[in-house]
Amino acid sequence: MDDKPLKTPPPYPIASVDHALRAATILQLEGGASVSQIAERLGVARSTAHRILAMLVYRDFAVQGDDREYRAGPVLELASHSQSLVSRLRTAALPHLHRVVDLLDETANLIVRTGDTVRFIASVECGQALRVGSREGMVFPAHRTTAGLLLLADLSDEELDEVYAAERYRERPADRPDPDRLRAELRRLRRNGFAVNRGRSERGLVAVGVPVRDREGTALAGLSVSLPSVRYDPHRLRSLVATLEAAAHALERGLGDEGP
C-alpha cells in the first residue's frame, strides 16, 4: 500500500500565505476566533496574527464584530453559489466585457449575488489614465451596487424579506437598509430595466448596469460599466444602457447555446 501523504507540501512554502489560508479556514469551519486564539493556533506572535486578520478583513475573507472577534467574511460565505455556474458565466462573459470596453472605453464588470452581498467575478479595465480599477474578487453590500440592486429587484417580496430579515442584522443593525425605501427603489428599477449608481458604493464613481438572464428569465448576474463621475454625462445614459443590453443579450444567447 502506498504510504505517500494525500498532499505533498510545495518545495518552497511561503509561511505568511500558509498562515493566512489556515486562519481563513479556521474562521470558515469553526465560526470565529480572537486574535489570541489565532496566534496560538498558528504558533505566531499576537502582532503577526493581527496583521494576518487585518489583511483577511481587507480582502473580505473575514469580518470583525463588535465583540472584537473575527468571523468568516462574505467571500467565504459565497460557497453556496454554484462555482461551476460562476466559472461558466465568467468565461462566457469576458469577450463581451472586452467588447463593451472597446466601445465605451470604460471599465466593465460582471457581478453575482449571494444573500445580501455581491461579488465581482470579472472585470476588464479601460485604457484611460483616469479610470475605475478592477474590482475582480471584491465583495460589496448588494443594495449599494448597481448590479446588486438589479439582482435584488428580481426577488419576490418574500425573498427580499428573508434576505433583509431584522434578525440577520442583530449584531450590525446600521448595515440593514430601510425596507420601505429599498422596495420603492426596486420597483423603479423593475420598470426601467437598468440601474444607475452615483457614488453609492464608492465616492467619485458612477456605474450603470443591466441584468443578465437565463432562458427562464431569471437574473443570473449583472453586467455594468464603471467610470469616474467627472466623465459621466447623463445625456449618454441611453447609449450606455443600449451598449450594455446588447452585450447582455449576446451573453445570454451564448449561455443558452451551451445548454444546462
Side-chain angles (χ1 to χ4, degrees):
M1 185 174 179
D2 192 346
D3 291 325
K4 287 196 304 181
L6 292 177
K7 288 189 176 181
T8 303
Y12 303 105
I14 302 174
S16 59
V17 175
D18 186 48
H19 288 153
L21 294 173
R22 288 174 59 199
T25 301
I26 291 169
L27 297 181
Q28 185 178 43
L29 298 181
E30 301 180 19
S34 66
V35 174
S36 297
Q37 289 170 329
I38 292 293
E40 182 179 355
R41 293 286 296 276
L42 299 181
V44 298
R46 194 176 186 279
S47 59
T48 300
H50 185 270
R51 289 195 296 270
I52 291 169
L53 290 165
M55 184 55 69
L56 292 179
V57 169
Y58 175 69
R59 290 296 182 184
D60 293 307
F61 282 78
V63 293
Q64 187 179 26
D66 293 336
D67 58 359
R68 311 298 293 172
E69 189 165 277
Y70 291 83
R71 297 176 180 82
V75 170
L76 296 179
E77 291 176 346
L78 287 173
S80 61
H81 222 298
S82 167
Q83 290 306 301
S84 59
L85 175 59
V86 168
S87 176
R88 185 165 151 247
L89 271 170
R90 185 180 188 281
T91 300
L94 280 173
H96 303 291
L97 295 181
H98 281 285
R99 175 65 173 160
V100 168
V101 173
D102 288 342
L103 291 171
L104 301 177
D105 203 14
E106 301 292 355
T107 298
N109 313 284
L110 189 73
I111 302 101
V112 296
R113 180 190 67 86
T114 296
D116 63 352
T117 63
V118 291
R119 184 178 189 181
F120 285 65
I121 63 170
S123 227
V124 176
E125 292 186 19
C126 68
Q128 302 206 54
L130 177 62
R131 64 180 182 273
V132 178
S134 171
R135 298 293 186 267
E136 189 164 302
M138 296 185 72
V139 176
F140 293 90
H143 70 284
R144 293 190 177 277
T145 67
T146 304
L149 288 167
L150 288 166
L151 296 171
L152 290 172
D154 204 53
L155 301 180
S156 66
D157 287 342
E158 293 75 17
E159 290 170 325
L160 194 66
D161 288 341
E162 183 178 349
V163 170
Y164 290 106
E167 57 267 24
R168 292 176 177 263
Y169 290 82
R170 193 171 291 117
E171 296 183 3
R172 48 188 182 105
D175 293 341
R176 183 175 182 247
D178 179 87
D180 294 332
R181 289 180 60 186
L182 181 60
R183 284 195 186 90
E185 183 169 19
L186 296 181
R187 282 194 294 270
R188 289 194 297 271
L189 291 184
R190 291 186 192 107
R191 290 194 299 268
N192 293 338
F194 64 89
V196 180
N197 177 346
R198 302 187 192 188
R200 189 166 181 168
S201 56
E202 295 182 61
R203 186 178 300 174
L205 181 153
V206 174
V208 180
V210 300
V212 176
R213 301 184 181 278
D214 63 16
R215 283 179 289 188
E216 285 70 45
T218 301
L220 296 175
L223 195 157
S224 70
V225 62
S226 304
L227 60 152
S229 57
V230 295
R231 206 155 56 227
Y232 176 66
D233 179 359
H235 295 99
R236 291 185 59 213
L237 178 58
R238 286 293 172 185
S239 175
L240 292 174
V241 171
T243 300
L244 289 170
E245 286 180 336
H249 294 330
L251 173 54
E252 291 165 353
R253 288 193 296 273
L255 291 170
D257 290 343
E258 289 180 14

